[in-house]
Amino acid sequence: MQNKNIRNFSIIAHIDHGKSTIADRLIEYTGTLSERQMEAQVLDNMDLERERGITIKAQTVRLDYKGKDGETYQLNLIDTPGHVDFTYEVSRSLAACEGALLVVDAAQGVEAQTLANVYMALEHDLEIIPVINKIDLPSAEPERVKGEIENTIGLDTSNAVLASAKAGIGIEEILDSIVKYIPAPEGDAEAPLQALIFDSYFDSYKGVIAHVRVKQGHIKKGMKLKMMATGKEFEVTDVGCFKPQPVDVGHLDMGEVGFVAGSLKDVRDVRVGDTITFADRPADKPLPGYRGVTPMVYCGLYPVESSDYDNLKDALEKMQINDAALVFEPETSIALGFGFRCGFLGLLHMDVIQERLEREYHLKLITTAPSVIYHVYKTDRTMLKVSNPSELPPQTEIEHIEEPYVKATVIVPNDFVGAVMEISQDKRGEFKTMDYLDTNRVMITYHIPLNEIIFDYFDRLKSATRGYASLDYELADYQTSQLVKVDILLNGDPVDALSTIVHKDRAASRGRQLAAKLKEIIPQQMFEIPIQAAIGSKVIARENVRARRKDVLAKCYGGDISRKRKLLEKQKEGKKRMKSVGSVEVPQEAFMAILKID
Amino acid sequence: MQWGIYIHIPFCRQKCFYCDFPSFAGRERYMEDYTAALCQEIKTQGSCYRQKWGEPATIYIGGGTPTALSAGQLEHIIRTVTTACLSEGTQPEFTVECNPGTVDEAYLSRLRHSGVNRLSFGVQSFDDGLLKRIGRIHTGAAAVQAFQLARAAGFQNISLDLMYGLPGQTMEQLQASVGQVLALAPEHISIYGLQLEEGTAFMKMQEQGRLHLPSDELTEQMYDYMTGALPQQGYARYEISNFARPGRESRHNLSYWQDVPYLGLGAAAHSYLDGQRWEHVSDIEAYIEGIHSGQDVMQPEEAHDRRIDMEEFCFLALRTAVGISKARFQEKFGCTLASVYEDAITRMKARGFLQESADSVCLTDLGMKYGNWVFEEFLLG
């Protein structure tokens, strides 16, 4: 394809603003898939994604569109993950494009997450086409939303498309605008190859498949190529485009988007952001912006049945094949036995992995409360990175502790500014800026500990703002904090997996809340179970789970034994989700209790 | 070989608020046809198993409310089973469940003369307010009277049921009821704690927040009181819920727990034959229709493998005071009890739930209180 007829673009949108529906309509309109092949929201093809209405793995699709000028254009849609956990992945996808559709809900207006991605797109010099979606809603206010886009982002909205993907309005206009406004890719087709990897996945037949954008040079089947960051060399066995299934076309030219495979076994060799070049005639430098994977949030994953340890290990290894951002290493807990310390990009990433392990590998898991990475400076002048509260050294050995802070951006209607400030203050946030996006909406930024964000910051924000708040955050720095470890004792024994690190000033209240929550969660057992929260040897809170008085099966009529058996089996099934910690049966959710206190 | 017959009568004058057994009020119009169909099944099945195994050791007519039928209908059923399964002059344990509100002198007398030798009265309580609150159709006085009439009719083996943990029930009410039962001096007493079951009136009330159950502590005190008082008065606890004077244990009830086969007859009746469990269609009309048209009214339940057999053998036997016989386990399964359950037994002994002798493993008093926890340990899956 001649590069003047190629357009590479992505779609920037907040959750629910209609990104997937627009993508579906574009695929449909260009006849890339017949109606029969169309499944609703083809691009979100993981069950989980469909249930949550979000994109976790980016997808790519090539659309062939015959423009008004009679020419056929190759439009490459690069779908981006729509969640704050995946900011880096989004930035790489954007780097593969020349333009982006900015989809904004005609009733809701601009949201924090959208804004962050638009700024990112602007940093990459992308041409942005505003699309005001859902204009057929009775509450649609396209003019107000246009004004908001102009005020907040400074984008000219004179070429904005008014659309309703659901009703099929404005689809052709979107396609024409892409052709008209987004620049064709430019580069030297004969120069040494520079292809940007913006995603990868593992295929059990072809090995790792890299999603790439050819920035200069070209790729052909049989070529010997090299990853510039990891140094991995391979021979191209498959190269082609997504329609949206991978179609082997034998080559990718300058400016095109598609995939490359070459019996690569390990996703870790195929890093998002890395540059692929010729093995024997490499480009003189890689494309800018490559970054290694840095997990932000850690938690312990333990099998409920200790005999499932190897199965969990296998499952994690298999997941890792497709997810270079997942890291894990073996860990032992006195309470939970053998398990793994796992690192994730963020809370959503953690949730998704955990749910997939349970769903796809039928594992019953106990997840400990998530933790950030603390930098613990010890009195012996060494620094320890601690992501598991139980590994915090004794107070006497600690000189000081630093914790990660983020820059959190919150957008809310101005009625809720007070609520946002109150919660952020309560979460140890330091107020930074406040800007009016328009007469009604405000953008507030805080410098706030990540630890507080992963607790229930967003949940609290949402409930205090009736769901209107949108949040985005990025790692800012590490700062010294007065942190202490709160331990929980069940029946007098400390349970390491329930320990948590909190700020000194709120340790007492956290301890009380946690003990009270655990009292609700831990079922009655034969004996009374004292629950204590302690800092060091000082008990700061105490609760009691009263003893279960009795448990006798009632009468059964006429020898219906099977029914008794079913009752027992059900009872046993319930206990299977519990872990024996000392003499106490503790349900899974107890280990996440810290997240559920308010 | 020992075996028993269970006959189900799915009729009630009124459905008790706690009951989820297969029994129905307002179906009187089917009583005649049901009796006929049931008798037909008794004739064919009963005589078949009599030929196979000899005479049954126990016959139990339960429900529902067997005495919701007319005396003539019930008598017909009794005579049919007697003719089909028993020789002249033999005396199995022959029990009929009675609701005190449904029987008079003549009714009881006809039962006694037709060969029934044991009655089980669902008394539940002697407190009239409480009886009304749980949907019973009789008063405490009616229960006393029914008992006395049964004695007068010649019944020397009578069981009374009591319930505890009922809505609004106080310890005083319970103690008074226990006192009344002891004053009547039956041979056998069953005690049942109220359990809320799906689909019952009580469950609905509970969901609406209108059911006021006694606290767990009070219910436990009631349990402790009864399990303490009855043995003191000479009623040995031979099974989790059952107490009897020596020699007056319900053989039929025990057979459920002791791996004895039983033939269930009538709608919703369950059977245990040659190691397989069976259930009858539970719908009354479907049952009558099935018998008339010669269709199968009995369906096999889930097929048992050796694992399930072991589990059931153990958790059923554990309901009884004698517990699991090691010799019988080994005889049935060809391996020792310890080879399968050593861990479970050790764990439960450590918690004070089980005691072990050279011959058997049985629940301790504490184990009886937490029976379900112990039984669960004997599930292998």
Tab-separated table of all heavy atoms in Angstrom, chain A residues 140-188:
chain	number	residue	atom	x	y	z
A	140	ALA	N	-28.535	14.838	25.652
A	140	ALA	CA	-27.331	15.231	24.920
A	140	ALA	C	-27.223	16.755	24.825
A	140	ALA	O	-28.193	17.456	24.570
A	140	ALA	CB	-27.359	14.625	23.518
A	141	GLU	N	-26.003	17.261	25.071
A	141	GLU	CA	-25.754	18.704	24.927
A	141	GLU	C	-24.477	18.882	24.129
A	141	GLU	O	-23.439	19.280	24.671
A	141	GLU	CB	-25.569	19.344	26.311
A	141	GLU	CG	-26.817	19.362	27.173
A	141	GLU	CD	-26.511	20.037	28.499
A	141	GLU	OE1	-26.563	21.273	28.567
A	141	GLU	OE2	-26.175	19.314	29.446
A	142	PRO	N	-24.535	18.591	22.833
A	142	PRO	CA	-23.304	18.606	22.030
A	142	PRO	C	-22.590	19.957	22.063
A	142	PRO	O	-21.355	19.986	22.099
A	142	PRO	CB	-23.788	18.265	20.619
A	142	PRO	CG	-25.266	18.225	20.653
A	142	PRO	CD	-25.707	18.144	22.063
A	143	GLU	N	-23.344	21.044	22.094
A	143	GLU	CA	-22.683	22.345	22.073
A	143	GLU	C	-21.912	22.598	23.354
A	143	GLU	O	-20.783	23.081	23.350
A	143	GLU	CB	-23.699	23.475	21.814
A	143	GLU	CG	-24.241	23.491	20.379
A	143	GLU	CD	-23.128	23.408	19.326
A	143	GLU	OE1	-22.122	24.143	19.431
A	143	GLU	OE2	-23.252	22.573	18.382
A	144	ARG	N	-22.528	22.226	24.503
A	144	ARG	CA	-21.844	22.394	25.780
A	144	ARG	C	-20.563	21.550	25.797
A	144	ARG	O	-19.495	22.006	26.200
A	144	ARG	CB	-22.752	21.959	26.934
A	144	ARG	CG	-22.065	22.047	28.294
A	144	ARG	CD	-22.958	21.578	29.432
A	144	ARG	NE	-23.180	20.130	29.432
A	144	ARG	CZ	-22.307	19.252	29.918
A	144	ARG	NH1	-21.168	19.665	30.438
A	144	ARG	NH2	-22.573	17.967	29.886
A	145	VAL	N	-20.672	20.306	25.309
A	145	VAL	CA	-19.531	19.401	25.323
A	145	VAL	C	-18.422	19.915	24.395
A	145	VAL	O	-17.245	19.874	24.744
A	145	VAL	CB	-19.970	17.969	24.959
A	145	VAL	CG1	-18.763	17.065	24.769
A	145	VAL	CG2	-20.891	17.415	26.039
A	146	LYS	N	-18.837	20.449	23.259
A	146	LYS	CA	-17.842	21.049	22.360
A	146	LYS	C	-17.096	22.175	23.083
A	146	LYS	O	-15.867	22.261	23.019
A	146	LYS	CB	-18.526	21.651	21.128
A	146	LYS	CG	-18.759	20.666	19.997
A	146	LYS	CD	-19.177	21.477	18.763
A	146	LYS	CE	-19.717	20.602	17.659
A	146	LYS	NZ	-20.221	21.421	16.549
A	147	GLY	N	-17.874	22.994	23.765
A	147	GLY	CA	-17.282	24.113	24.503
A	147	GLY	C	-16.288	23.594	25.535
A	147	GLY	O	-15.196	24.147	25.723
A	148	GLU	N	-16.673	22.513	26.191
A	148	GLU	CA	-15.814	21.925	27.215
A	148	GLU	C	-14.493	21.462	26.607
A	148	GLU	O	-13.416	21.673	27.173
A	148	GLU	CB	-16.553	20.739	27.833
A	148	GLU	CG	-16.289	20.552	29.298
A	148	GLU	CD	-17.128	19.416	29.842
A	148	GLU	OE1	-16.753	18.249	29.655
A	148	GLU	OE2	-18.167	19.709	30.452
A	149	ILE	N	-14.602	20.831	25.432
A	149	ILE	CA	-13.395	20.339	24.763
A	149	ILE	C	-12.499	21.520	24.385
A	149	ILE	O	-11.280	21.477	24.582
A	149	ILE	CB	-13.764	19.516	23.508
A	149	ILE	CG1	-14.491	18.235	23.923
A	149	ILE	CG2	-12.520	19.178	22.688
A	149	ILE	CD1	-15.060	17.436	22.766
A	150	GLU	N	-13.110	22.586	23.902
A	150	GLU	CA	-12.309	23.753	23.513
A	150	GLU	C	-11.650	24.382	24.729
A	150	GLU	O	-10.467	24.712	24.706
A	150	GLU	CB	-13.181	24.772	22.768
A	150	GLU	CG	-13.716	24.191	21.463
A	150	GLU	CD	-14.159	25.249	20.449
A	150	GLU	OE1	-14.299	26.422	20.842
A	150	GLU	OE2	-14.358	24.879	19.277
A	151	ASN	N	-12.435	24.522	25.832
A	151	ASN	CA	-11.900	25.172	27.032
A	151	ASN	C	-10.818	24.349	27.705
A	151	ASN	O	-9.797	24.883	28.147
A	151	ASN	CB	-13.008	25.438	28.049
A	151	ASN	CG	-13.985	26.468	27.533
A	151	ASN	OD1	-13.644	27.255	26.641
A	151	ASN	ND2	-15.184	26.475	28.071
A	152	THR	N	-11.060	23.063	27.847
A	152	THR	CA	-10.141	22.267	28.659
A	152	THR	C	-8.929	21.817	27.881
A	152	THR	O	-7.826	21.786	28.395
A	152	THR	CB	-10.821	21.008	29.211
A	152	THR	OG1	-11.364	20.285	28.101
A	152	THR	CG2	-11.915	21.348	30.174
A	153	ILE	N	-9.139	21.459	26.620
A	153	ILE	CA	-8.034	20.879	25.879
A	153	ILE	C	-7.471	21.888	24.885
A	153	ILE	O	-6.337	21.774	24.441
A	153	ILE	CB	-8.485	19.593	25.149
A	153	ILE	CG1	-9.222	18.692	26.141
A	153	ILE	CG2	-7.314	18.836	24.569
A	153	ILE	CD1	-9.929	17.529	25.515
A	154	GLY	N	-8.289	22.868	24.553
A	154	GLY	CA	-7.848	23.847	23.577
A	154	GLY	C	-7.919	23.305	22.172
A	154	GLY	O	-7.181	23.741	21.291
A	155	LEU	N	-8.796	22.340	21.942
A	155	LEU	CA	-8.934	21.761	20.612
A	155	LEU	C	-9.974	22.530	19.821
A	155	LEU	O	-11.009	22.906	20.370
A	155	LEU	CB	-9.425	20.316	20.728
A	155	LEU	CG	-8.413	19.200	20.878
A	155	LEU	CD1	-9.159	17.878	20.890
A	155	LEU	CD2	-7.395	19.221	19.744
A	156	ASP	N	-9.686	22.703	18.554
A	156	ASP	CA	-10.669	23.300	17.667
A	156	ASP	C	-11.743	22.244	17.400
A	156	ASP	O	-11.434	21.129	17.009
A	156	ASP	CB	-9.955	23.698	16.369
A	156	ASP	CG	-10.956	24.221	15.341
A	156	ASP	OD1	-12.106	24.516	15.728
A	156	ASP	OD2	-10.567	24.322	14.163
A	157	THR	N	-13.008	22.588	17.645
A	157	THR	CA	-14.057	21.587	17.450
A	157	THR	C	-14.873	21.853	16.191
A	157	THR	O	-15.943	21.306	16.010
A	157	THR	CB	-15.006	21.531	18.664
A	157	THR	OG1	-15.518	22.847	18.878
A	157	THR	CG2	-14.302	21.051	19.903
A	158	SER	N	-14.347	22.725	15.313
A	158	SER	CA	-15.139	23.025	14.109
A	158	SER	C	-15.265	21.802	13.199
A	158	SER	O	-16.228	21.671	12.454
A	158	SER	CB	-14.499	24.192	13.354
A	158	SER	OG	-13.172	23.845	13.002
A	159	ASN	N	-14.283	20.883	13.300
A	159	ASN	CA	-14.401	19.676	12.473
A	159	ASN	C	-14.954	18.483	13.269
A	159	ASN	O	-14.847	17.342	12.838
A	159	ASN	CB	-13.045	19.331	11.836
A	159	ASN	CG	-11.993	18.989	12.895
A	159	ASN	OD1	-12.247	19.149	14.088
A	159	ASN	ND2	-10.836	18.541	12.448
A	160	ALA	N	-15.518	18.755	14.460
A	160	ALA	CA	-16.030	17.657	15.289
A	160	ALA	C	-17.178	16.934	14.578
A	160	ALA	O	-17.984	17.560	13.890
A	160	ALA	CB	-16.516	18.192	16.632
A	161	VAL	N	-17.223	15.619	14.750
A	161	VAL	CA	-18.309	14.826	14.159
A	161	VAL	C	-19.356	14.573	15.233
A	161	VAL	O	-19.028	14.182	16.346
A	161	VAL	CB	-17.782	13.473	13.628
A	161	VAL	CG1	-18.921	12.673	13.018
A	161	VAL	CG2	-16.657	13.700	12.624
A	162	LEU	N	-20.610	14.821	14.881
A	162	LEU	CA	-21.692	14.473	15.798
A	162	LEU	C	-22.174	13.074	15.416
A	162	LEU	O	-22.507	12.829	14.257
A	162	LEU	CB	-22.844	15.479	15.692
A	162	LEU	CG	-22.485	16.926	16.028
A	162	LEU	CD1	-23.734	17.799	16.007
A	162	LEU	CD2	-21.813	17.007	17.398
A	163	ALA	N	-22.190	12.179	16.395
A	163	ALA	CA	-22.478	10.784	16.047
A	163	ALA	C	-23.321	10.091	17.103
A	163	ALA	O	-23.438	10.557	18.241
A	163	ALA	CB	-21.160	10.018	15.875
A	164	SER	N	-23.916	9.025	16.680
A	164	SER	CA	-24.491	8.068	17.620
A	164	SER	C	-24.144	6.703	17.077
A	164	SER	O	-24.744	6.234	16.119
A	164	SER	CB	-26.008	8.227	17.723
A	164	SER	OG	-26.518	7.071	18.375
A	165	ALA	N	-23.139	6.089	17.678
A	165	ALA	CA	-22.686	4.793	17.179
A	165	ALA	C	-23.809	3.781	17.292
A	165	ALA	O	-23.994	2.932	16.433
A	165	ALA	CB	-21.467	4.332	17.971
A	166	LYS	N	-24.569	3.919	18.353
A	166	LYS	CA	-25.655	2.966	18.590
A	166	LYS	C	-26.678	3.060	17.461
A	166	LYS	O	-27.151	2.048	16.954
A	166	LYS	CB	-26.302	3.270	19.937
A	166	LYS	CG	-26.807	2.031	20.633
A	166	LYS	CD	-27.246	2.366	22.044
A	166	LYS	CE	-28.331	1.385	22.470
A	166	LYS	NZ	-29.062	1.897	23.625
A	167	ALA	N	-27.012	4.299	17.082
A	167	ALA	CA	-28.026	4.480	16.047
A	167	ALA	C	-27.413	4.515	14.652
A	167	ALA	O	-28.115	4.697	13.664
A	167	ALA	CB	-28.799	5.767	16.321
A	168	GLY	N	-26.090	4.383	14.558
A	168	GLY	CA	-25.444	4.382	13.244
A	168	GLY	C	-25.349	5.765	12.607
A	168	GLY	O	-25.188	5.887	11.391
A	169	ILE	N	-25.417	6.806	13.426
A	169	ILE	CA	-25.344	8.178	12.892
A	169	ILE	C	-23.890	8.636	12.863
A	169	ILE	O	-23.167	8.463	13.848
A	169	ILE	CB	-26.158	9.151	13.778
A	169	ILE	CG1	-27.625	8.699	13.834
A	169	ILE	CG2	-26.031	10.601	13.280
A	169	ILE	CD1	-28.454	9.418	14.894
A	170	GLY	N	-23.459	9.212	11.757
A	170	GLY	CA	-22.148	9.856	11.707
A	170	GLY	C	-20.982	8.936	11.410
A	170	GLY	O	-19.831	9.371	11.452
A	171	ILE	N	-21.244	7.681	11.094
A	171	ILE	CA	-20.134	6.734	10.896
A	171	ILE	C	-19.323	7.078	9.640
A	171	ILE	O	-18.094	7.113	9.672
A	171	ILE	CB	-20.675	5.282	10.805
A	171	ILE	CG1	-21.472	4.944	12.077
A	171	ILE	CG2	-19.538	4.292	10.605
A	171	ILE	CD1	-20.719	5.142	13.368
A	172	GLU	N	-20.038	7.368	8.556
A	172	GLU	CA	-19.334	7.715	7.326
A	172	GLU	C	-18.522	9.003	7.516
A	172	GLU	O	-17.388	9.114	7.047
A	172	GLU	CB	-20.341	7.877	6.183
A	172	GLU	CG	-19.657	7.946	4.822
A	172	GLU	CD	-20.662	8.128	3.682
A	172	GLU	OE1	-21.888	8.031	3.921
A	172	GLU	OE2	-20.212	8.379	2.555
A	173	GLU	N	-19.101	9.964	8.238
A	173	GLU	CA	-18.397	11.225	8.491
A	173	GLU	C	-17.112	10.960	9.267
A	173	GLU	O	-16.086	11.597	9.033
A	173	GLU	CB	-19.288	12.200	9.288
A	173	GLU	CG	-20.420	12.821	8.486
A	173	GLU	CD	-21.646	11.914	8.348
A	173	GLU	OE1	-21.537	10.688	8.650
A	173	GLU	OE2	-22.704	12.404	7.943
A	174	ILE	N	-17.178	10.017	10.191
A	174	ILE	CA	-15.965	9.695	10.962
A	174	ILE	C	-14.896	9.171	10.014
A	174	ILE	O	-13.737	9.611	10.032
A	174	ILE	CB	-16.262	8.658	12.070
A	174	ILE	CG1	-17.172	9.269	13.142
A	174	ILE	CG2	-14.969	8.147	12.702
A	174	ILE	CD1	-17.644	8.287	14.206
A	175	LEU	N	-15.287	8.237	9.139
A	175	LEU	CA	-14.325	7.639	8.213
A	175	LEU	C	-13.732	8.711	7.287
A	175	LEU	O	-12.513	8.743	7.057
A	175	LEU	CB	-15.006	6.525	7.405
A	175	LEU	CG	-15.328	5.261	8.223
A	175	LEU	CD1	-16.354	4.391	7.508
A	175	LEU	CD2	-14.059	4.453	8.501
A	176	ASP	N	-14.600	9.593	6.788
A	176	ASP	CA	-14.102	10.651	5.891
A	176	ASP	C	-13.159	11.607	6.623
A	176	ASP	O	-12.157	12.059	6.063
A	176	ASP	CB	-15.270	11.421	5.273
A	176	ASP	CG	-15.988	10.567	4.225
A	176	ASP	OD1	-15.320	9.686	3.627
A	176	ASP	OD2	-17.203	10.760	4.016
A	177	SER	N	-13.500	11.916	7.878
A	177	SER	CA	-12.630	12.806	8.651
A	177	SER	C	-11.272	12.176	8.880
A	177	SER	O	-10.247	12.870	8.873
A	177	SER	CB	-13.257	13.121	10.018
A	177	SER	OG	-14.481	13.765	9.842
A	178	ILE	N	-11.262	10.859	9.109
A	178	ILE	CA	-9.987	10.166	9.314
A	178	ILE	C	-9.110	10.347	8.071
A	178	ILE	O	-7.933	10.713	8.162
A	178	ILE	CB	-10.214	8.658	9.597
A	178	ILE	CG1	-10.882	8.475	10.969
A	178	ILE	CG2	-8.902	7.880	9.541
A	178	ILE	CD1	-11.390	7.070	11.250
A	179	VAL	N	-9.716	10.118	6.908
A	179	VAL	CA	-8.982	10.235	5.652
A	179	VAL	C	-8.509	11.677	5.446
A	179	VAL	O	-7.377	11.938	5.051
A	179	VAL	CB	-9.872	9.785	4.468
A	179	VAL	CG1	-9.223	10.153	3.138
A	179	VAL	CG2	-10.119	8.283	4.552
A	180	LYS	N	-9.421	12.613	5.765
A	180	LYS	CA	-9.153	14.011	5.447
A	180	LYS	C	-8.152	14.658	6.413
A	180	LYS	O	-7.262	15.390	5.999
A	180	LYS	CB	-10.484	14.761	5.490
A	180	LYS	CG	-10.414	16.195	4.993
A	180	LYS	CD	-11.824	16.738	4.779
A	180	LYS	CE	-11.789	18.237	4.616
A	180	LYS	NZ	-13.137	18.822	4.788
A	181	TYR	N	-8.328	14.419	7.720
A	181	TYR	CA	-7.545	15.188	8.690
A	181	TYR	C	-6.308	14.480	9.220
A	181	TYR	O	-5.358	15.115	9.649
A	181	TYR	CB	-8.430	15.593	9.874
A	181	TYR	CG	-9.567	16.511	9.464
A	181	TYR	CD1	-10.886	16.099	9.542
A	181	TYR	CD2	-9.288	17.805	8.990
A	181	TYR	CE1	-11.922	16.930	9.165
A	181	TYR	CE2	-10.313	18.641	8.600
A	181	TYR	CZ	-11.638	18.210	8.684
A	181	TYR	OH	-12.638	19.030	8.304
A	182	ILE	N	-6.348	13.146	9.282
A	182	ILE	CA	-5.191	12.465	9.875
A	182	ILE	C	-4.117	12.323	8.804
A	182	ILE	O	-4.390	11.845	7.705
A	182	ILE	CB	-5.590	11.097	10.468
A	182	ILE	CG1	-6.543	11.327	11.648
A	182	ILE	CG2	-4.356	10.307	10.912
A	182	ILE	CD1	-7.063	10.078	12.299
A	183	PRO	N	-2.891	12.736	9.125
A	183	PRO	CA	-1.833	12.684	8.114
A	183	PRO	C	-1.441	11.252	7.784
A	183	PRO	O	-1.553	10.365	8.633
A	183	PRO	CB	-0.658	13.420	8.764
A	183	PRO	CG	-1.063	13.777	10.148
A	183	PRO	CD	-2.445	13.300	10.405
A	184	ALA	N	-0.976	11.082	6.548
A	184	ALA	CA	-0.439	9.780	6.168
A	184	ALA	C	0.901	9.597	6.861
A	184	ALA	O	1.586	10.573	7.165
A	184	ALA	CB	-0.274	9.718	4.656
A	185	PRO	N	1.289	8.350	7.137
A	185	PRO	CA	2.586	8.116	7.779
A	185	PRO	C	3.727	8.508	6.850
A	185	PRO	O	3.594	8.420	5.628
A	185	PRO	CB	2.591	6.610	8.043
A	185	PRO	CG	1.569	6.048	7.115
A	185	PRO	CD	0.553	7.104	6.882
A	186	GLU	N	4.816	8.935	7.440
A	186	GLU	CA	5.975	9.290	6.638
A	186	GLU	C	7.189	8.565	7.162
A	186	GLU	O	7.313	8.318	8.351
A	186	GLU	CB	6.213	10.814	6.697
A	186	GLU	CG	5.280	11.561	5.774
A	186	GLU	CD	5.391	13.061	5.956
A	186	GLU	OE1	6.350	13.507	6.618
A	186	GLU	OE2	4.516	13.781	5.443
A	187	GLY	N	8.089	8.255	6.279
A	187	GLY	CA	9.308	7.583	6.696
A	187	GLY	C	10.021	7.022	5.481
A	187	GLY	O	9.477	7.015	4.372
A	188	ASP	N	11.238	6.531	5.698
A	188	ASP	CA	12.050	6.019	4.608
A	188	ASP	C	11.854	4.516	4.484
A	188	ASP	O	12.232	3.769	5.379
A	188	ASP	CB	13.526	6.360	4.901
A	188	ASP	CG	14.434	5.912	3.762
A	188	ASP	OD1	13.944	5.190	2.854
A	188	ASP	OD2	15.619	6.277	3.796
